[in-house]
Amino acid sequence: MKRFDRRDLLRLGALGAFTGHTDLFRSALRAACDAGTRAPSTTASKVLFIFLRGGNDGVSTVIPFGDATYTTARTATAIDPVASHPLRGTGYAKLHPRLGDMLPADAAGHIAWIHQTGMVTGSRSHFSKMQMLETAEERSEDDLAREGFVPRLRAVAAGFESTLPAASVALRMQRMFASADPDRILAHIRSFNDYTLGSDLLADQLRGNLHAHFGDTATNAIDTLERATGRFMIDSEQAIALLRPQHASAPVFDVNPPGLTPSVVGRAFLTDAEQALYLLLHSDCRVAGVDFGGFDTHRDQQAQHSLRMEYLGYCMGQIYAATIGQTALDITTVVITEFGRTAWENASQGTDHGVGALAMVQGVGVRGGVYNCASPQEFGFGSAWTPLTGSNPPPFEDATPVATHVFTLLAELFVKRFGVSPGSQLDTIIPGYSAMSGSLFTPLDYLL
């Protein structure tokens, strides 16, 4: 199927001007996004999601050296404790040696390192757990039409009225942004130079129908487009077109810095993250998301994981430097992954699919510290760390268990950053959340 892209929109723009539909092509962001103009007028909270695809090994990210069983479970994949970085407020865990760029935010108390997060339902399948996380529904059956949580958030929270309320900035549209509802289609930006729309099934079908009938009159073509996507499709293209020249002259940070180990995947991630951050800083976009792949480290984990930590650390450091001085905006960066890795390494010097994972949340409104990772005798946030080689019952055998459900983290984010009310509004975004109970759903209070 032919992709409906920027050139098609420009063609429709000419048709619209010819037929008197020029009002469809006006963007609410025109004044704010024109070259050299002011920052966006909104003071609302914004969120950048970074999804580490493949299952990041949280044990090798914030390393529980205080766990006496760590050196039993990890030999070839063990991290050097001398080269690792001490973290604020704990002597139990240290930070991966390649994440040193994140230390200024940690020292200021602006990062929450949240261990043992995740879900307990379903298999240790990438697709299953990604689907559950990005749709905020813990149902293991495959359902390609299930809506992501960002369109549902947009539907109930205030402040998403702009023409570019949220955007997935990735090679493929992130599932958390996808919707089969034409009125909730969100932007998918492969790059500022290759703007596309979301790739959900209904939207693809509607665009295909539009192309199939492009021989209709201009008025019918415009009407078909408006019925399919509303005004958002055209307006958001205009917003990107206006942002593009401004971004070219003033990027947020350098995506090709000297000194980083060469990596095509790493450079692509930095490019996406920089563009997503630019959208948050210079438009009315409230939520953006990027992907960073390659965390399925079944073999040779030391080299693969260390390389990705190098790029993640640099990126998070640059995000912090670009946002710490912002007084009008509150930007929170949330780093998530579908699951952690096994506690024990395998025969290929790697780790396999686990359960409990590490989440990272960075921003000036974060209650910084290490969560769910301290000895019972050491003061810490959340729960005590569960030893790696303990006799954990299913589904946690040979894996870090879950102490905090990932929906608990999302619920607090939605309530404190977007003003979502507990109860019916929260249940719309996370279906049935108000009925979920137990220790996994104890709030961590990680946001101020």
Side-chain angles (χ1 to χ4, degrees), residues 120-140:
V120 300
T121 301
S123 65
R124 299 185 189 184
S125 157
H126 292 294
F127 181 85
S128 176
K129 285 299 171 66
M130 287 182 190
Q131 178 181 250
M132 291 181 192
L133 176 52
E134 294 189 84
T135 63
E137 292 186 77
E138 199 169 8
R139 292 193 284 129
S140 58

Side-chain angles (χ1 to χ4, degrees), residues 1-285:
M1 180 182 297
K2 182 181 183 297
R3 189 180 51 147
F4 193 61
D5 61 14
R6 184 173 61 88
R7 289 180 293 278
D8 299 310
L9 283 170
L10 294 177
R11 182 181 179 189
L12 284 176
L15 290 171
F18 181 76
T19 57
H21 286 75
T22 53
D23 62 304
L24 292 176
F25 302 94
R26 296 194 184 109
S27 170
L29 295 179
R30 182 176 298 277
C33 299
D34 208 356
T37 62
R38 59 180 173 79
S41 58
T42 180
T43 57
S45 297
K46 301 189 177 191
V47 172
L48 172 60
F49 285 102
I50 297 177
F51 202 124
L52 307 183
R53 301 280 176 181
N56 175 50
D57 183 20
V59 173
S60 290
T61 306
V62 173
I63 309 102
F65 288 118
D67 179 356
T69 69
Y70 172 75
T71 54
T72 303
R74 303 293 180 96
T75 55
T77 60
I79 307 298
D80 181 4
V82 177
S84 301
H85 304 290
L87 286 168
R88 175 179 176 271
T90 181
Y92 196 84
K94 288 187 175 182
L95 188 63
H96 191 283
R98 300 287 183 92
L99 292 177
D101 287 334
M102 299 179 71
L103 290 174
D106 177 73
H110 292 157
I111 296 184
W113 315 91
I114 308 174
H115 254 301
Q116 299 184 140
T117 65
M119 294 166 280
V120 300
T121 301
S123 65
R124 299 185 189 184
S125 157
H126 292 294
F127 181 85
S128 176
K129 285 299 171 66
M130 287 182 190
Q131 178 181 250
M132 291 181 192
L133 176 52
E134 294 189 84
T135 63
E137 292 186 77
E138 199 169 8
R139 292 193 284 129
S140 58
E141 67 271 16
D142 296 345
D143 182 2
L144 290 173
R146 206 152 77 213
E147 187 174 59
F149 63 71
V150 178
R152 299 201 297 263
L153 170 66
R154 180 194 176 202
V156 302
F160 282 84
E161 296 82 8
S162 76
T163 56
L164 191 64
S168 167
V169 186
L171 181 63
R172 295 182 179 180
M173 188 175 194
Q174 290 180 301
R175 179 63 179 272
M176 69 182 81
F177 291 84
S179 176
D181 184 341
D183 294 329
R184 297 188 186 183
I185 292 175
L186 298 174
H188 173 211
I189 304 169
R190 287 168 50 133
S191 77
F192 276 2
N193 294 320
D194 185 17
Y195 175 81
T196 64
L197 292 173
S199 58
D200 57 84
L201 300 179
L202 180 58
D204 281 344
Q205 181 182 7
L206 290 168
R207 291 184 211 108
N209 291 342
L210 183 60
H211 278 287
H213 300 287
F214 207 73
D216 293 348
T217 65
T219 299
N220 286 344
I222 292 293
D223 289 345
T224 301
L225 176 63
E226 190 170 18
R227 283 197 303 272
T229 63
R231 292 183 52 173
F232 172 72
M233 183 175 179
I234 298 172
D235 285 345
S236 57
E237 160 61 17
Q238 291 291 306
I240 296 298
L242 290 165
L243 280 167
R244 189 180 295 123
Q246 184 180 354
H247 171 261
S249 62
V252 179
F253 62 80
D254 184 5
V255 299
N256 294 292
L260 290 184
T261 304
S263 168
V264 174
V265 174
R267 300 288 185 185
F269 161 63
L270 292 184
T271 298
D272 290 347
E274 189 277 332
Q275 291 185 146
L277 182 59
Y278 191 91
L279 282 176
L280 296 176
L281 287 171
H282 297 288
S283 80
D284 286 337
C285 182

